[in-house]
Amino acid sequence: MSVSPSARIQEARERVAARLRELRLDAGLTGQDIAVRSGWQKSKVSRIQGGVSAPSDDDIRAWCRACGAEDQADDIIAASRDANTMYTEWRRIQRTGLKRVQESRIPIHERTTYMRVYSSSVIPGMLQTQEYAQALLHDIARFHGTPDDSHAAADARVARSRILRRPGRTFLFVLEEAALRRRIGTAETMAAQLGNLLTLSTVPSVRLGVIPASADAMWPLETFTLYDEEAVYVELLTAAMTITAPTEVGQYLAAHGEMESAALFGHDAYRVIAACISALV
């Protein structure tokens, strides 16, 4: 079940507060001890560990220093920044059209050497044909009531996917079978898209896995992309979320690993894709 962005950001803030509270308890300190060692009012300690006030980077460093846990400061700071800046509302970034959204992600694609993608509902953007991308982006623009520049946006998305053929990079895609069977556009568009998957799976840098509907796997997750081991981009209905906290990135790496272990690759995956193509006839 999807969780609203506002609930997710509050949950993220509470996780930061909980980690600081645990550091205090592990160090055998009271809230008053933290206040004295950091030169704060006790009420500030209460607000921070209660998740009422978002701590600054300096606050987190001071808290960790007071607890003798300076080595944990950077990770907690990253989690705190994520909690405050992780959401970019779709309507805001789409207000001048979807092409800009596609182009805004070029820099991180350019510097990533190992990209891991999981999708439970649609074909990932890097693997989309122009026709499939345009049909999908047109539907997104219609739903969100934003300018429909889906043709130009699809062109930008396909152009971005040329990175798949550049040397020195690895791309691991894991798709739920449902993403192959969800028809986007016409039957002809969908058939061509599935055929494109078969073609791109032969590119040396690409590894394509399919989790069959009958697989004994963990529950389907929201679509996400891992950029090396540094950041995760998660797509929700109303927002896009970027996560950089190492511990949370690690959880997504572990989840992708589980999905990969449940997926079929090579000829087994091709058979699932071929069956989906046949179902369109």
Side-chain angles (χ1 to χ4, degrees):
M1 181 179 296
S2 296
V3 181
S4 71
S6 59
R8 282 180 176 267
I9 196 167
Q10 182 58 34
E11 178 184 325
R13 285 174 174 164
E14 289 174 357
R15 285 200 299 271
V16 170
R19 290 184 66 180
L20 293 174
R21 185 166 58 250
E22 287 168 6
L23 284 184
R24 177 181 65 75
L25 294 172
D26 289 345
L29 301 176
T30 65
Q32 181 64 37
D33 292 332
I34 296 291
V36 170
R37 294 186 181 193
S38 303
W40 299 341
Q41 295 292 323
K42 186 179 178 181
S43 58
K44 178 174 180 176
V45 175
S46 298
R47 290 196 303 272
I48 289 176
Q49 70 177 4
V52 177
S53 297
S56 68
D57 292 359
D58 288 342
D59 290 339
I60 292 171
R61 292 193 188 282
W63 190 294
C64 291
R65 187 165 51 250
C67 297
E70 292 94 335
D71 60 325
Q72 297 193 45
D74 288 342
D75 190 46
I76 298 175
I77 285 171
S80 180
R81 288 178 180 176
D82 285 345
N84 292 318
T85 64
M86 64 171 55
Y87 288 101
T88 304
E89 293 183 7
W90 286 121
R91 189 174 296 275
R92 180 171 64 81
I93 64 174
Q94 292 175 0
R95 65 177 179 267
T96 58
L98 293 166
K99 180 182 178 183
R100 186 174 67 87
V101 178
Q102 304 305 311
E103 293 174 339
S104 68
R105 295 178 64 191
I106 290 176
I108 194 168
H109 281 72
E110 292 284 349
R111 64 177 180 265
T112 298
T113 58
Y114 191 178
M115 185 182 296
R116 300 169 179 88
V117 181
Y118 165 80
S119 182
S120 59
S121 55
V122 296
I123 307 300
M126 297 285 285
L127 303 177
Q128 291 175 7
T129 64
Q130 202 282 341
E131 292 78 10
Y132 180 98
Q134 183 174 344
L136 178 61
L137 292 167
H138 169 75
D139 222 23
I140 290 172
R142 176 195 58 78
F143 180 81
H144 288 289
T146 52
D148 185 3
D149 61 344
S150 53
H151 188 283
D155 286 345
R157 175 170 285 187
V158 172
R160 194 179 64 195
S161 68
R162 292 171 187 158
I163 199 171
L164 292 173
R165 301 181 185 277
R166 293 185 188 174
R169 301 169 190 268
T170 301
F171 301 88
L172 173 55
F173 297 92
V174 178
L175 285 64
E176 299 282 353
E177 182 179 343
L180 308 180
R181 294 190 177 275
R182 169 67 69 180
R183 200 180 88 176
I184 303 295
T186 65
E188 291 76 14
T189 294
M190 196 67 202
Q193 173 61 74
L194 294 174
N196 191 56
L197 288 184
L198 296 174
T199 299
L200 290 177
S201 67
T202 66
V203 175
S205 63
V206 174
R207 189 162 181 251
L208 175 65
V210 177
I211 302 175
S214 60
D216 182 13
M218 70 183 291
W219 64 95
L221 301 175
E222 61 273 7
T223 293
F224 65 86
T225 300
L226 280 152
Y227 297 100
D228 293 318
E229 297 184 4
E230 298 178 5
V232 188
Y233 183 82
V234 185
E235 299 177 23
L236 306 172
L237 175 64
T238 57
M241 177 173 67
T242 300
I243 296 170
T244 59
T247 52
E248 296 194 45
V249 171
Q251 289 182 333
Y252 275 95
L253 282 166
H256 199 279
E258 288 216 14
M259 296 304 190
E260 179 186 359
S261 67
L264 302 175
F265 291 86
H267 291 293
D268 291 332
Y270 302 159
R271 280 193 285 271
V272 177
I273 296 172
C276 293
I277 295 173
S278 297
L280 291 167
V281 178

